[in-house]
Amino acid sequence: MPEPDLPPSHPQRVSLHNEIHARPPEAVRPPLAITHIVMWADAAGREASREHLAALLRQHHLAPPDASTTHLRAHLGAFQLRWELHTEFVTWTFTSALAHADRFGEVEPVTALESVPRAWLAGLPGQCLCSLHLWVLAMLEFGDGRLVPQILSDETLVASSVADGLGEVFTDFALHADGSSRMVLLVGSMPPRRVGRMVQRLLEIETYRMAALLGLPVAREAAGALAQAETELAALAQAIRSADHAAEPALLDRLTRLAGQVESQYATTHARFSASSAYFELVDQRIRDIGETRLGAMQTIGEFMDRRLTPARSTCAWVARRQNALSERVSRISNLLRTRVEIAQQQSSQQLLATMNQRQGLQLRLQATVEGLSVAAITYYIVGLVSHLARGAQVLGWPWSPEATAATAIPLVALGVWWSLRSLHHRVFRNDE
């Protein structure tokens, strides 16, 4: 049957659908030696990692990754490489067959890096955040009694039964002479795919543990700056209580500068604390995924992580809460001080308006006085015109003399001028209202 025509797809439909298959685990069959290296790198370093990978692939006549590739697996003769590009770091996982597995623990074990070109390995871009050697062995062929003296440290040994009792994990969470930590996974009847998932989760526990702890030095550094800011804020709050109006602008300027400092520190550390919180949650999730139970009297990985990581996690969370609380306190005190300054400004404005009203009243009274003089002046000029008009009108038979006509016109003219000015003022004031 012909397939039905589908409506237009979302431009990211395929990539979103395939995201569920991103970074799939590989089928793992013991005995194997695995080395997992995490390189912390910025955007330029992560792009350089892609070029570094391409150089290795070209040496083995393989196609280099394209610009959109974030995950790659390659078989390079004596070893296999798994390369993953993350948001803040790049992981390189090298896997090789473990020779002489029957003698494991009797001598220093062989790592997967034995087959990797030394010069190329030394040039990995970025800074090494994590390096872990993991050996996968068959449980039936290996006894755990040889782990302690040659492979792991007995003082910090951590072990647990995983995958519903189908495997055992041993580690000491210590850096050994080569600068790497170590872990041993013993598997029984666990299927290869499940072994691959278990290996991936163990590697991610170590990766995310180190990435989560990057927030700890930032929190310690921020705590010192927060202590200074809190001391300065307390001094400012005390000064505000006893400050007069003249000192308030200077205090407001100091408080504004402190607010800028607090917000700048928050912006600098917020991303790191958020990332650390997410990494801590991933560590917890991966520990739950391995399904561990107690092995003998030794503490499990979950117990070890809970005891050792909880103080670091609490420190990061405490500093983040302390930053938020300090920011809110600065905001409240700033609002209080601004309110005081605004009230003082309003009082000053009211006093200024009262003074202006007084001056306006004086101006009105002065204007009224001037208007009285204006009425007299206008009346004088109009009466003069009437006198000249009466003198000319006598020739035409006007019965009154110019002097009598002027004298009679004075009160009439004065009243008319006064009434006209008063009506004009009323119209002007009414328009203003």
Side-chain angles (χ1 to χ4, degrees):
M1 294 178 61
E3 296 183 358
D5 294 333
L6 296 177
S9 298
H10 189 278
Q12 296 181 345
R13 177 192 173 195
V14 175
S15 60
L16 294 176
H17 179 272
N18 293 334
E19 183 65 24
I20 196 173
H21 303 293
R23 301 180 174 91
E26 302 178 56
V28 173
R29 293 178 175 83
L32 288 176
I34 300 173
T35 298
H36 182 69
I37 298 177
V38 179
M39 301 299 294
W40 196 263
D42 55 12
R46 293 191 295 273
E47 188 60 31
S49 297
R50 192 190 305 275
E51 296 298 328
H52 199 65
L53 172 64
L56 180 64
L57 294 178
R58 282 194 293 266
Q59 293 178 6
H60 292 79
H61 308 287
L62 296 175
D66 55 33
S68 61
T69 300
T70 59
H71 169 268
L72 186 141
R73 289 183 294 186
H75 296 270
L76 304 176
F79 67 97
Q80 299 178 19
L81 170 64
R82 180 186 180 101
W83 174 82
E84 297 182 12
L85 183 66
H86 296 261
T87 304
E88 296 183 301
F89 53 85
V90 181
T91 61
W92 305 82
T93 306
F94 306 92
T95 304
S96 64
L98 181 61
H100 307 294
D102 55 338
R103 299 182 57 194
F104 187 84
E106 297 177 1
V107 295
E108 187 68 15
V110 177
T111 68
L113 297 183
E114 300 292 336
S115 304
V116 181
R118 293 296 179 184
W120 179 88
L121 182 64
L124 289 180
Q127 298 175 322
C128 182
L129 178 67
C130 171
S131 178
L132 171 66
H133 296 311
L134 171 62
W135 293 277
V136 183
L137 301 166
M139 186 182 299
L140 299 179
E141 300 176 359
F142 185 78
D144 61 299
R146 290 173 291 172
L147 285 174
V148 176
Q150 293 292 340
I151 309 301
L152 303 173
S153 173
D154 189 22
E155 297 179 356
T156 58
L157 185 62
V158 176
S160 62
S161 177
V162 296
D164 301 323
L166 299 180
E168 296 177 356
V169 176
F170 299 84
T171 184
D172 55 8
F173 291 106
L175 293 180
H176 292 257
D178 59 353
S180 301
S181 55
R182 295 180 174 184
M183 188 177 293
V184 177
L185 172 62
L186 305 181
V187 297
S189 59
M190 197 183 306
R193 286 287 179 184
R194 190 170 185 182
V195 176
R197 290 194 296 270
M198 181 61 62
V199 168
Q200 184 170 335
R201 289 163 182 169
L202 293 174
L203 297 180
E204 288 176 348
I205 288 174
E206 185 68 6
T207 300
Y208 295 138
R209 175 182 75 91
M210 293 299 297
L213 288 173
L214 285 175
L216 183 59
V218 176
R220 289 171 175 169
E221 182 179 356
L226 282 173
Q228 296 179 357
E230 289 170 344
T231 302
E232 184 176 357
L233 180 61
L236 279 172
Q238 184 64 29
I240 290 172
R241 292 179 55 188
S242 57
D244 54 11
H245 295 314
E248 286 177 351
L251 291 175
L252 183 59
D253 179 70
R254 288 177 56 190
L255 194 57
T256 303
R257 293 177 183 273
L258 179 60
Q261 175 185 341
V262 172
E263 293 302 323
S264 175
Q265 185 193 54
Y266 177 83
T268 302
T269 60
H270 176 69
R272 185 72 269 144
F273 290 156
S274 298
S276 291
S277 177
Y279 289 135
F280 279 125
E281 292 179 2
L282 288 173
V283 171
D284 294 339
Q285 181 62 47
R286 295 302 182 268
I287 291 176
R288 290 192 295 268
D289 290 342
I290 65 176
E292 64 174 351
T293 56
R294 185 175 297 279
L295 184 62
M298 290 179 288
Q299 62 178 336
T300 64
I301 295 177
E303 292 172 344
F304 179 87
M305 290 292 188
D306 184 66
R307 185 165 60 89
R308 299 299 178 91
L309 289 187
T310 296
R313 178 185 297 189
S314 300
T315 299
C316 295
W318 169 71
V319 171
R321 291 194 302 269
R322 193 175 170 187
Q323 285 180 332
N324 291 330
L326 180 60
S327 178
E328 293 176 357
R329 288 170 55 195
V330 171
S331 178
R332 288 197 301 267
I333 296 178
S334 297
N335 292 335
L336 175 62
L337 185 55
R338 287 192 180 95
T339 301
R340 288 183 53 178
V341 172
E342 290 175 357
I343 292 175
Q345 290 177 346
Q346 290 176 359
Q347 292 176 348
S348 177
S349 299
Q350 291 177 354
Q351 294 175 357
L352 179 61
L353 289 174
T355 303
M356 292 176 62
N357 289 334
Q358 293 176 357
R359 291 180 180 177
Q360 186 175 7
L362 293 175
Q363 290 178 353
L364 289 175
R365 288 194 291 271
L366 179 61
Q367 184 177 358
T369 302
V370 173
E371 288 176 355
L373 298 176
S374 300
V375 169
I378 294 173
T379 301
Y380 175 78
Y381 285 112
I382 293 177
V383 169
L385 292 176
V386 170
S387 176
H388 286 293
L389 183 61
R391 187 175 295 110
Q394 274 187 327
V395 181
L396 300 177
W398 179 255
W400 293 357
S401 63
E403 292 78 7
T405 302
T408 303
I410 287 175
L412 298 175
V413 171
L415 182 61
V417 171
W418 175 82
W419 180 259
S420 299
L421 291 176
R422 186 176 181 83
S423 299
L424 177 63
H425 289 169
H426 281 309
R427 288 196 298 271
V428 172
F429 293 152
R430 185 165 57 250
N431 292 335
D432 289 342
E433 291 175 357

